């Protein structure tokens, strides 16, 4: 397995694979990999002849008060996980490899990026779409793999790929959870033992929402109210949002009458966590 930081070297390697008639999968990540990331790599390895895993903490998707500098990083541990999972290449650029000093071109996807996390993280999805577009241009994969935990991101990327005719299949993969239900996240490492226990209010709220929808409840406002009530029982939790949206365009929805995403962002202490469920 190779580790490359130079985009042109990655292009050259992919061209060699293409000459051999091989298919290529891409798993974009910000590193500090866990079982959730591994599940994406495992599926990519299963479905493609060669797999590139990008590891890049993308500065332009972080707001000025967010955790860019403190975001956890461990390329050695990441490399072991990626190699053991059977991927072929890690693309681990530095910011200067991706963005020229006078970089001034961004990709903005409207509508699907404006609710949920888009309200409180106004630069986030512009940064995500810009870096993912660059990764798609560098790697030119047949398929790219994204986790459902970042469900709005998955919807935004799918819209971008459709609208800009990338010709890449976007594969959404299920949330991977700890044994007690907490969704796997690199940011879980920020939690103290007390906060880690408190964070279970998110998965409990998800389960309550799923129970209501699967039991036939169609009133979105009632479902959201009961989910919020679960979270509000936890003193360390501060709700940023709990919302039901239509899964196709990520607009606020008040009734279960088609594909829906029910998503939340909750702060446990200083740590912002997200979770969700989808019914299609």
């Amino acid at each position: 397995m190779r580790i490359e930081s130079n985009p042109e070297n990655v292009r050259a390697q992919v061209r060699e694979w293409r000459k051999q008639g091989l298919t290529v999968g891409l798993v974009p990540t910000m590193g500090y990999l866990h079982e959730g990331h591994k599940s994406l790599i495992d599926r990519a390895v299963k479905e493609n002849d060669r797999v590139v895993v990008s590891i890049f903490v993308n500065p332009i998707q972080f707001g000025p008060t967010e955790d860019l500098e403190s975001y956890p990083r461990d390329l050695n541990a990441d490399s072991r996980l990626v190699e053991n999972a059977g991927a072929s290449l890690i693309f681990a650029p530095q910011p200067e490899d991706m963005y020229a000093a006078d970089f001034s071109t961004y990709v903005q996807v409207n509508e699907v990026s404006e609710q949920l996390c888009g309200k409180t993280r106004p630069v986030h999805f512009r940064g995500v779409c810009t870096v993912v577009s660059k990764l798609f241009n560098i790697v030119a994969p047949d398929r790219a793999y994204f986790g459902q935990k970042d469900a709005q991101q998955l919807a935004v990327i799918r819209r971008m790929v459709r609208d800009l005719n990338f010709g890449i299949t976007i594969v959404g993969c299920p949330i991977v959870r700890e044994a007690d239900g907490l969704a796997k996240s690199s940011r879980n490492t920020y939690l103290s033992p007390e906060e880690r226990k408190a964070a279970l209010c998110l998965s409990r709220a998800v389960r309550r929402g799923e129970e209501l929808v699967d039991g036939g409840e169609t009133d979105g406002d009632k479902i959201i109210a009961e989910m919020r009530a679960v979270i509000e029982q936890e003193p360390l939790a501060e709700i940023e949002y709990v919302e039901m949206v239509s899964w196709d365009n990520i607009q606020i929805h008040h009734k279960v009458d088609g594909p829906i995403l029910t998503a939340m962002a909750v702060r446990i202490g200083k740590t912002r966590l997200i979770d969700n469920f989808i019914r299609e």
Side-chain angles (χ1 to χ4, degrees):
M1 186 196 69
R2 293 172 57 187
I3 301 177
E4 287 286 354
S5 61
N6 186 310
E8 293 310 312
N9 290 345
V10 175
R11 286 184 196 272
Q13 177 62 81
V14 173
R15 282 197 297 268
E16 288 301 312
W17 291 337
R18 294 297 188 192
K19 288 178 183 177
Q20 299 171 43
L22 303 176
T23 58
V24 179
L26 171 66
V27 181
T29 83
M30 292 207 301
Y32 213 71
L33 305 181
H34 51 66
E35 288 298 318
H37 298 107
K38 184 176 181 298
S39 72
L40 305 182
I41 301 168
D42 287 343
R43 182 160 177 185
V45 167
K46 182 179 179 180
E47 296 179 351
N48 302 274
D49 298 314
R50 298 289 184 269
V51 172
V52 177
V53 177
S54 64
I55 295 176
F56 180 56
V57 182
N58 176 35
I60 68 169
Q61 72 187 64
F62 287 78
T65 63
E66 295 181 342
D67 57 340
L68 172 61
E69 296 304 322
S70 62
Y71 194 86
R73 296 162 169 86
D74 190 340
L75 184 57
N76 289 333
D78 290 347
S79 300
R80 290 192 295 271
L81 184 149
V82 172
E83 185 168 24
N84 289 338
S88 310
L89 187 151
I90 291 175
F91 176 39
Q94 295 299 310
E96 57 268 26
D97 297 314
M98 296 294 280
Y99 302 113
D102 58 350
F103 182 86
S104 59
T105 304
Y106 297 87
V107 179
Q108 175 72 46
V109 177
N110 295 325
E111 188 184 44
V112 290
S113 68
E114 293 166 0
Q115 299 293 332
L116 307 180
C117 291
K119 283 187 173 181
T120 53
R121 305 185 71 192
V123 304
H124 178 67
F125 288 116
R126 185 183 76 162
V128 168
C129 289
T130 301
V131 76
V132 171
S133 294
K134 290 172 71 66
L135 292 170
F136 286 173
N137 285 330
I138 293 164
V139 179
D142 298 282
R143 302 173 188 86
Y145 296 78
F146 295 85
Q148 183 195 305
K149 184 177 74 70
D150 297 291
Q152 186 176 15
Q153 173 179 276
L154 174 59
V156 169
I157 295 299
R158 281 177 169 162
R159 179 67 64 89
M160 179 186 77
V161 165
R162 186 202 73 180
D163 289 354
L164 298 184
N165 301 102
F166 271 105
I168 296 168
T169 299
I170 302 302
V171 181
C173 299
I175 296 173
V176 175
R177 298 184 180 276
E178 304 280 0
D180 59 8
L182 183 67
K184 295 266 190 181
S185 170
S186 300
R187 290 187 169 97
N188 291 348
T189 60
Y190 297 160
L191 300 169
S192 70
E194 182 184 13
E195 290 170 340
R196 173 64 177 73
K197 184 177 179 181
L200 294 177
C201 68
L202 279 83
S203 55
R204 286 198 298 268
V206 165
R207 285 198 300 272
R208 181 58 184 147
E210 289 176 320
E211 289 170 359
L212 289 165
V213 172
D214 295 342
E217 180 60 62
T218 61
D219 185 336
D221 294 337
K222 180 178 179 181
I223 294 164
I224 295 303
E226 293 211 24
M227 292 175 66
R228 289 182 66 97
V230 171
I231 299 168
E232 287 166 352
Q233 292 173 7
E234 173 48 61
L236 295 182
E238 179 185 348
I239 294 174
E240 183 177 297
Y241 67 78
V242 183
E243 298 282 6
M244 180 178 290
V245 296
S246 54
W247 182 219
D248 59 341
N249 63 6
I250 314 296
Q251 297 299 296
I252 301 299
H253 212 64
H254 298 279
K255 191 174 182 62
V256 182
D257 57 1
I260 56 102
L261 162 68
T262 305
M264 66 185 70
V266 179
R267 291 191 180 275
I268 305 293
K270 295 181 179 180
T271 304
R272 183 181 186 273
L273 301 176
I274 58 175
D275 206 338
N276 68 78
F277 70 92
I278 296 168
R279 289 294 181 269
E280 298 191 73

